[in-house]
Amino acid sequence: NINYWAPKFFKDTLLDGVTFYIKIEDSTGIAYMKLPPEWCRISNLENGVYRFRVDVSKLKQEQYDELPNELQQAFDKYHDNSISDDDQDWYDRKWYMVSDDGFAFTFDHNAISNGGVAISPFASVLADSLSLDAAKDNIDIKDKLDTIRIIHSKLPTDSNGAPTLDLKTARNFDDQMRSRLPDGVVSITSPSSLDNVPLKGSGNEGVYDTVNNGLEQLFYDLGISSSLFGGKTTSSNIVKESVKKDSNWIYTNLFPMLEAYYNFELSQVKTKSKIPWNLKFIRESNFTLKEDIANYKDQLSYGGSRLDYLASVGFTPDQIISQLTFEQQALDIDSIMVVKPTSNTISSKESSTGSGKTVVKSPNGNINNPNKGNVGRPETDNPTDDTDRLNDAA
């Protein structure tokens, strides 16, 4: 079920940096179990497919029943201390080399040289997102400072500066004032003088610029143009080129990995004809679909693949076989949908009698429907529904 699993493989690998799966197959179908990255390490690259090993010492007994049979056997062998030094399936007596049912995906091409550990190409986004959160917190602080107002209630004093109002009465006045103040207004009651000190503008004046710079850095690390999500732009072509760039990244990084894995699986299928089958993903994007289809269509004029063209317009292999065969052989749709005369379909050649009538000859001898089984454009410049058309073989 490629339509379901391939996007999942892609999403998980982008988030985790590296993903490890084991194929589980029975008579009802195929499923995949994803293993935690902390259990596994990439071991080697085989025909474009990453293989991995599992640290069996990290497996717990309570997880035993959920593990595939292969890992259950490895778990038993590890705890029975029956691993020999020359066992090719084990490394360092605790790392089990998973069979061909296990495979890994990663976009970090240095994973093998880094001991099998890989990180996401977008890991730097985490640091930038933290900086962006800090910048947004500064905005909240600035907004609070801009709206705070202080009301000072001064107590009367004598010539020596001592309060002439007892503290209990002063406290009652202060409580009454505080109970009636709106949010954002602070009351202060003291015998000392207090100058008016507005807090507006006391925060970071460039705090909004800091947030904008943080957003731009975030987009930069993602490899995405900020214009794609409503940033400042004066040209829609910037967005279009950014989408093409992202699509090309998928074509050159994701598709080769998926094709290598699925082609390995196809190589395990034995056919009667012994002809190997290969899978290829069409390089097209929903954002540039019209242009992509036009490219495959133009290639047909120079001997390009009709299969690629049909795939680009949405046909799957089973649809191509069943639907097109039914149309051409069962319905004989070419004889039903007769090509209408246009500058591209009419012919300059015509055969006429002395009476001015066009004589139509049916190469297949079918009087009732002379067009049945024929393809191509009409032989005459004035075709009718029963006019012969030029045969491809001719």
Side-chain angles (χ1 to χ4, degrees), residues 12 77 103 135 148 165 183 197-199 217 230 252 257 268 315 321 354 369 383 390:
D12 291 347
K77 192 171 185 178
F103 57 95
I148 288 178
L165 190 67
D183 294 337
V197 181
L199 297 179
Q217 182 65 31
T252 56
M257 281 198 305
Q268 307 304 305
F315 279 93
I321 296 174
N369 188 358
L390 296 177

Side-chain angles (χ1 to χ4, degrees), residues 145-300:
L145 292 177
D146 288 345
T147 57
I148 288 178
R149 295 294 182 271
I150 297 177
I151 294 180
H152 179 222
S153 178
K154 185 177 181 181
L155 297 177
T157 58
D158 56 18
S159 58
N160 295 324
T164 58
L165 190 67
D166 63 280
L167 296 180
K168 183 176 181 181
T169 302
R171 180 179 181 85
N172 290 334
F173 284 138
D174 184 70
D175 290 341
Q176 292 178 2
M177 182 181 297
R178 289 176 182 272
S179 64
R180 291 171 172 80
L181 293 177
D183 294 337
V185 180
V186 180
S187 172
I188 297 177
T189 301
S190 71
S192 59
S193 299
L194 183 68
D195 293 332
N196 180 21
V197 181
L199 297 179
K200 183 177 181 180
S202 59
N204 181 11
E205 290 291 343
V207 63
Y208 291 101
D209 293 336
T210 302
V211 174
N212 291 334
N213 293 335
L215 283 173
E216 291 181 2
Q217 182 65 31
L218 195 64
F219 285 123
Y220 176 79
D221 285 340
L222 286 170
I224 299 174
S225 170
S226 60
S227 307
L228 186 60
F229 294 98
K232 296 180 180 179
T233 177
T234 57
S235 172
S236 60
N237 194 51
I238 297 177
V239 177
K240 184 178 180 180
E241 293 302 321
S242 178
V243 171
K244 287 183 177 180
K245 173 187 174 184
D246 295 338
S247 299
N248 187 67
W249 188 89
I250 295 176
Y251 300 158
T252 56
N253 291 274
L254 173 66
F255 282 3
M257 281 198 305
L258 292 176
E259 289 172 347
Y261 167 69
Y262 285 117
N263 283 329
F264 167 78
E265 293 293 337
L266 286 174
S267 67
Q268 307 304 305
V269 179
K270 306 301 181 183
T271 60
K272 293 182 179 180
S273 61
K274 297 183 180 180
I275 297 177
W277 288 80
N278 281 331
L279 176 144
K280 183 181 75 172
F281 286 95
I282 293 295
R283 267 60 170 172
E284 65 179 9
S285 166
N286 288 333
F287 294 96
T288 58
L289 187 59
K290 185 176 181 180
E291 295 179 8
D292 296 334
I293 294 177
N295 289 333
Y296 288 109
K297 186 177 180 181
D298 291 342
Q299 292 175 16
L300 294 177

